Amino acid sequence: MERITRTGAAGGAGFLGGLLLEKGLESLAGVEFVDGVMAVAGSAISAAHVNRDLIEAASRNIRHKFDKEPEKITKEEWKEYKEEYPKSAEYLEKALGI
Amino acid sequence: MSFIPVFLAKLSLAISLKLGIDQLSKKGYMPRSTYISRALAALEEDDLDGAIHNYRLALKNKEPDDKTEMTREIISCALDNRIKKLEDKISALEEEKKAPFFSKKFWKRKLMGFEQDKIKRIDQEIAGHKKGIEVLENLRQQLNEPV
């Protein structure tokens, strides 16, 4: 009886140990690997998205600065923005065809 | 049995790839657009430290270009907007605190100690906002420091 209990306990511990090892390796080989590949792919994708992100960020700043939607700002406000942030303004003008 | 060596080889490749990419990323060797994207994402989440850190990585090992300059301006504008909001709050609080010499409010405060708690609270709020402006100015300095 004692031998059966000991065998059962050892088997259970072995099963748990194996399960933990399997999950650990799975996360290393699976998730980490996918992350690595994604980081490389992400670089390529981000290059394509960066222009849109810049325009969105600049628009958000205009919205916060003047408390209104970018398309509703006046000529004077746009001039003010352009004086303070010339590169962004120039980029926005080109991108939006202003 | 041949499964184990193949698995171990894949595992070490995955780990080396991950570590290599992390190192390249930390040292600023990833494409510039990666850091610009990260900086803008951080800014969107209100993480100014993260935005400045990634902007500086975008300049590491590379010459500045139109996009990095625009990113700098975008971060700078975000800082300016926050500073302006805090300055407006300070002005509003100072206005709330103000009591003209010939007003009842002034003399009630002076002689009878009226609204002392309120004034104390306003002063604390003003001090907090001034501290916030100081932090933002430090961030601006970091943004403009040469890489």
Side-chain angles (χ1 to χ4, degrees):
Chain A
M1 190 63 192
E2 198 188 345
R3 223 161 68 181
I4 294 171
T5 317
R6 266 197 309 207
T7 311
F15 170 73
L16 277 177
L19 189 71
L20 282 174
L21 183 70
E22 188 194 342
K23 290 287 166 197
L25 289 175
E26 201 175 72
S27 69
L28 273 174
V31 178
E32 295 294 293
F33 183 70
V34 168
D35 273 353
V37 172
M38 286 303 168
V40 175
S43 304
I45 294 166
S46 65
H49 281 279
V50 76
N51 292 355
R52 198 196 61 199
D53 291 348
L54 282 168
I55 293 168
E56 277 178 5
S59 305
R60 215 169 28 246
N61 275 344
I62 292 175
R63 206 171 293 131
H64 287 149
K65 185 173 171 64
F66 300 109
D67 277 328
K68 52 172 106 165
E69 289 302 314
E71 62 268 23
K72 288 182 182 161
I73 63 168
T74 62
K75 265 189 183 174
E76 284 68 35
E77 286 166 337
W78 177 247
K79 214 174 140 189
E80 185 191 328
Y81 182 80
K82 209 173 167 178
E83 271 168 26
E84 284 180 72
Y85 314 106
K87 266 287 178 246
S88 303
E90 191 191 327
Y91 195 87
L92 281 175
E93 280 177 343
K94 269 189 213 163
L96 305 174
I98 298 171
Chain B
M1 271 321 265
S2 66
F3 161 78
I4 294 170
V6 172
F7 175 75
L8 288 176
K10 275 186 185 174
L11 183 65
S12 32
L13 177 72
I15 294 170
S16 335
L17 185 66
K18 171 74 179 152
L19 292 176
I21 287 169
D22 281 354
Q23 282 307 308
L24 286 176
S25 189
K26 271 183 202 162
K27 291 186 175 166
Y29 289 108
M30 293 297 270
R32 193 200 301 271
S33 52
T34 307
Y35 299 112
I36 293 180
S37 273
R38 285 182 192 169
L40 297 174
L43 196 63
E44 199 176 349
E45 285 167 17
D46 229 19
D47 174 12
L48 290 165
D49 281 313
I52 292 170
H53 175 71
N54 280 297
Y55 161 72
R56 291 175 67 78
L57 280 174
L59 284 178
K60 215 171 174 183
N61 313 312
K62 294 163 203 100
E63 286 298 311
D65 69 356
D66 283 357
K67 280 179 191 165
T68 50
E69 184 52 25
M70 190 176 168
T71 308
R72 192 193 61 75
E73 282 188 359
I74 286 170
I75 299 172
S76 180
C77 183
L79 288 170
D80 289 343
N81 288 344
R82 283 163 178 77
I83 290 172
K84 172 86 174 40
K85 278 208 174 120
L86 289 176
E87 282 171 349
D88 288 349
K89 278 184 188 168
I90 290 174
S91 304
L93 286 168
E94 273 168 354
E95 198 60 42
E96 201 183 326
K97 206 177 113 178
K98 221 189 271 176
F101 185 78
F102 292 109
S103 67
K104 266 188 200 169
K105 202 172 166 185
F106 177 87
W107 290 105
K108 270 187 179 175
R109 279 183 187 172
K110 194 86 180 161
L111 302 172
M112 299 156 82
F114 266 41
E115 295 181 323
Q116 289 310 305
D117 287 345
K118 188 182 164 187
I119 291 169
K120 205 174 161 187
R121 178 187 56 79
I122 291 174
D123 283 340
Q124 278 172 349
E125 269 185 58
I126 289 174
H129 294 328
K130 282 186 177 165
K131 188 84 192 146
I133 291 175
E134 216 175 281
V135 170
L136 292 168
E137 290 293 356
N138 280 339
L139 287 174
R140 189 205 299 281
Q141 214 175 323
Q142 281 176 38
L143 178 71
N144 294 322
E145 262 172 22
V147 178

